[in-house]
């Protein structure tokens, strides 16, 4: 049970980190001028992830390893589909509007955010299901 909670906590921390990156990219050009606070929050989050990663160094539970490998396979297929769809949309010759590099980056971070949330939800689902 303790290993499952540590894995869920690690996945939740990944979702929080990606959500922070997405929101900081969206708020970068807004009227808020808080770069020092954003840098401090960024450092604290990564320090907590580093400490959590050290504590979870070797997962010995085979069920969790098999669940994570199945989930990672699903997420890889999601990435292939999502990024492939984005690339096809960007290179189509009938695209008559201009998309900046920042907008493309925000779309990629949105895909990453969706993938991390799906990864967390799938882990919770398969953990309750018992694989």
């Amino acid at each position: 049970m303790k290993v499952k909670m540590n894995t869920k906590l690690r996945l939740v921390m990944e979702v929080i980190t990606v959500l922070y990156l997405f929101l900081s990219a969206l708020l970068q050009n807004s009227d808020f001028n808080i770069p020092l606070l954003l840098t401090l929050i960024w450092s604290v989050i990564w320090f907590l992830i580093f400490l959590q990663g050290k504590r979870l160094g070797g997962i010995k539970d085979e069920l969790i390893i098999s669940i994570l490998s199945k989930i990672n396979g699903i997420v890889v297929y999601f990435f292939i589909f999502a990024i492939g769809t984005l690339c096809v949309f960007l290179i189509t010759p009938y695209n008559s509007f201009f998309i900046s590099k920042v907008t493309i980056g925000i779309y990629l971070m949105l895909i990453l955010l969706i993938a991390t949330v799906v990864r967390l939800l799938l882990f919770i689902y398969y953990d309750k299901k018992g694989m």
Side-chain angles (χ1 to χ4, degrees):
M1 181 69 176
K2 185 177 180 182
V3 175
K4 291 179 185 177
M5 285 304 292
N6 286 340
T7 305
K8 287 179 189 175
L9 181 64
R10 182 175 55 96
L11 292 173
V12 168
M13 288 176 61
E14 288 176 3
V15 169
I16 290 171
T17 304
V18 173
L19 181 65
Y20 167 75
L21 288 172
F22 181 69
L23 290 177
S24 66
L26 284 179
L27 295 176
Q28 181 180 8
N29 295 329
S30 66
D31 293 335
F32 303 115
N33 191 6
I34 50 172
L36 181 62
L37 181 63
L38 290 177
T39 305
L40 181 65
I41 292 172
W42 172 260
S43 301
V44 168
I45 287 173
W46 276 105
F47 182 71
L48 290 174
I49 289 173
F50 176 73
L51 287 180
Q52 186 69 15
K54 285 291 189 180
R55 211 171 75 191
L56 293 176
I59 298 175
K60 303 287 192 256
D61 194 4
E62 294 174 6
L63 177 64
I64 291 178
I65 292 173
S66 65
I67 289 173
L68 285 176
S69 66
K70 185 173 186 172
I71 290 169
N72 288 340
I74 293 170
V75 170
V76 165
Y77 286 127
F78 171 76
F79 274 132
I80 291 171
F81 175 74
I83 293 176
T85 304
L86 181 67
C87 290
V88 166
F89 177 71
L90 291 176
I91 65 169
T92 183
Y94 303 109
N95 191 357
S96 63
F97 54 92
F98 177 74
I99 299 176
S100 69
K101 293 184 282 186
V102 175
T103 307
I104 294 171
I106 288 176
Y107 286 151
L108 289 174
M109 287 189 347
L110 180 65
I111 291 171
L112 180 63
L113 177 65
I114 292 169
T116 55
V117 169
V118 166
R119 187 172 180 227
L120 174 65
L121 294 176
L122 283 175
F123 180 79
I124 292 171
Y125 172 75
Y126 282 124
D127 185 34
K128 287 189 181 195
K129 185 179 175 183
M131 186 75 169

